[in-house]
Amino acid sequence: KGGNMLLDEVIYMEVRVFREFLNRYKMRASDAYHLFEENDIWGYIESCYELLHMNGDEAVLNDVQRILQRNGALP
């Protein structure tokens, strides 16, 4: 049961960060989803969740932005 609760929290963070990403970049959900997939943003959030959840969504979104910029996916 504890694992399911953690998984729910991770998914909830992914959804919040994804929505904020859409708002920040005025991007279509399908385009943003492909960016997240191609750059393993989902994996990043999942693997770093224990640290990320202490920083808040804005900090996570800034991390996502830096990853995408470093990978050349965002200007």
Side-chain angles (χ1 to χ4, degrees):
K1 187 170 184 174
N4 286 341
M5 188 163 26
L6 179 60
L7 179 60
D8 288 348
E9 290 175 21
V10 171
I11 292 169
Y12 184 54
M13 174 181 276
E14 289 174 335
V15 169
R16 291 190 321 264
V17 169
F18 186 73
R19 285 183 176 164
E20 287 301 316
F21 182 86
L22 293 177
N23 287 335
R24 181 181 284 187
Y25 290 99
K26 307 299 182 219
M27 192 176 287
R28 292 183 337 167
S30 59
D31 293 337
Y33 179 82
H34 289 298
L35 276 183
F36 275 49
E37 280 286 307
E38 293 167 359
N39 293 277
D40 197 29
I41 300 302
W42 308 121
Y44 167 71
I45 293 172
E46 290 167 17
S47 65
C48 298
Y49 176 77
E50 290 299 324
L51 293 172
L52 295 176
H53 85 279
M54 293 185 285
N55 294 322
D57 292 349
E58 185 71 20
V60 177
L61 183 57
N62 290 337
D63 285 350
V64 167
Q65 177 183 332
R66 281 191 290 277
I67 291 168
L68 293 173
Q69 287 172 332
R70 186 181 65 226
N71 291 349
L74 284 178

